[in-house]
Amino acid sequence: MRFIEEIVVDAFLPTFRALLAEDLRARGFTQAEVADALGISQSAVSKYAHGEVSMNERIADDKRVHDLVARVGEGLATGDMTPVQALVESEVLIRQLEEGDLLSDLHEEAMPELASYDGFHSIHDPEGHLRTVEQVRSSVRRGLRMLTNTSGFAGLIPNVGSNLVEALPGADNIDDVAAIPGRIFDVKGQATVPGEPEFGVSEHVASVLLSARAADADVNAALNVVYDAGVISDLEAAGYECIEFDPDAPTDPVRATLEGRDLPETFVVYQSGGYGIEPITYILGPDAPTVADVVRVLL
């Protein structure tokens, strides 16, 4: 009797780790950093580097394995992907390969009696909540990196601070929206991000995004920046639809303003201020990197 988990341990993991170790080393990771990223010892990394670990050729030649190695390697190198997401992505591929696929074939070869039975039933859902949560956080990180690497962005941060937010599919409250805790502030001309993206930490920008979604706008992300006539003029000149709303309206002014409109994929809403209310511009779009990229037209 041989479990499919043994195929994973004996064939997939050594092969995948060897390929990922090679990828990370090529991206400039030290041996110690590779060991930390993979959760293994430096001596194990050394064995991978010197070809002392046996790899399964069929697994090593599979394009999906190579694609995963490249995606995880890039994510870990840039910081867009946490170890949790790397684990989830790897587990998803393992379960896919287990169910009537490569690992299932290797399992049947090791235990021919399995051939007369249905394939392995997946216990990991590729569309599962944990994976989706990590993908949204990763998207926000990519957007943040674009903003912090854009010269002059700090000058677009309003007095109340900026936030970059992205919602889970089906989001209907702020707990379903990832954002920056404490907001992004201009500190001596530098955009300062106080922490990692978290869910449920933005009331203001998340509420604007949720209101737009409630008005049937097909948007998942939002970013707030300063408002002035020049900002709106530049955005309109770049082809973005800009829609003003009244922040003093009695009920959900963003939703009331947007309902019934035929809205593009990426658009702008803004309010020019009111009593005790700072004027703000909001960029809304399909994901965090897309709305972050809009900032470039203002600089």
Side-chain angles (χ1 to χ4, degrees):
M1 181 172 64
R2 193 162 191 209
F3 293 95
I4 196 168
E5 285 81 1
E6 294 177 75
I7 305 298
V8 174
V9 171
D10 296 339
F12 182 89
L13 288 183
T15 304
F16 177 71
R17 281 175 169 162
L19 293 172
L20 184 54
E22 180 182 3
D23 181 275
L24 292 174
R25 288 288 281 161
R27 295 178 189 275
F29 276 46
T30 65
Q31 188 168 292
E33 289 170 336
V34 172
D36 184 62
L38 300 186
I40 58 178
S41 66
Q42 289 192 49
S43 62
V45 174
S46 179
K47 290 180 180 179
Y48 287 133
H50 291 90
E52 297 175 13
V53 175
S54 177
M55 293 201 299
N56 183 286
E57 290 184 5
R58 288 166 64 183
I59 295 173
D61 292 339
D62 193 286
K63 182 179 183 299
R64 293 163 297 180
V65 175
H66 278 277
D67 289 346
L68 176 63
V69 167
R71 192 164 72 252
V72 170
E74 180 180 7
L76 293 176
T78 60
D80 289 341
M81 186 179 291
T82 64
V84 170
Q85 186 183 358
L87 175 63
V88 172
E89 297 290 341
S90 303
E91 286 280 1
V92 166
L93 178 60
I94 289 171
R95 303 313 158 196
Q96 290 173 343
L97 296 179
E98 284 178 334
E99 189 169 3
D101 208 309
L102 177 57
L103 293 180
S104 179
D105 292 343
L106 294 174
H107 194 203
E108 288 182 4
E109 291 170 13
M111 194 171 178
E113 298 92 334
L114 291 171
S116 59
Y117 295 90
D118 291 337
F120 181 82
H121 294 286
S122 176
I123 60 172
H124 284 226
D125 181 3
E127 304 304 323
H129 181 70
L130 177 57
R131 187 185 190 198
T132 303
V133 163
E134 289 297 328
Q135 287 174 331
V136 168
R137 283 161 52 92
S138 179
S139 180
V140 174
R141 288 190 198 95
R142 289 195 300 274
L144 281 171
R145 192 170 71 252
M146 292 171 65
L147 292 175
T148 55
N149 288 342
T150 299
S151 178
F153 168 64
L156 295 174
I157 298 174
N159 293 329
V160 295
S162 285
N163 216 326
L164 178 64
V165 308
E166 185 168 329
L168 292 169
D172 58 10
N173 63 71
I174 63 172
D175 290 334
D176 298 326
V177 181
I180 306 307
R183 304 180 188 176
I184 308 165
F185 285 98
D186 174 8
V187 179
K188 297 181 178 180
Q190 183 69 39
T192 302
V193 180
E196 282 285 291
E198 297 179 17
F199 283 85
V201 296
S202 170
E203 292 187 13
H204 183 63
V205 182
S207 295
V208 171
L209 174 61
L210 291 170
S211 292
R213 288 167 59 89
D216 292 328
D218 189 15
V219 290
N220 298 313
L223 168 70
N224 67 316
V225 295
V226 297
Y227 162 82
D228 64 42
V231 165
I232 300 304
S233 177
D234 288 345
L235 289 168
E236 289 179 333
Y240 294 104
E241 182 174 354
C242 298
I243 304 164
E244 185 173 10
F245 68 93
D246 180 3
D248 292 319
T251 57
D252 204 341
V254 173
R255 178 175 181 176
T257 300
L258 298 181
E259 278 185 329
R261 289 177 178 263
D262 184 16
L263 297 165
E265 180 183 63
T266 303
F267 62 93
V268 174
V269 296
Y270 67 95
Q271 48 89 0
S272 54
Y275 181 73
I277 300 174
E278 182 181 5
I280 299 287
T281 304
Y282 304 88
I283 304 164
L284 297 102
D287 53 54
T290 297
V291 298
D293 189 55
V294 175
V295 165
R296 296 179 182 180
V297 309
L298 299 174
L299 299 171

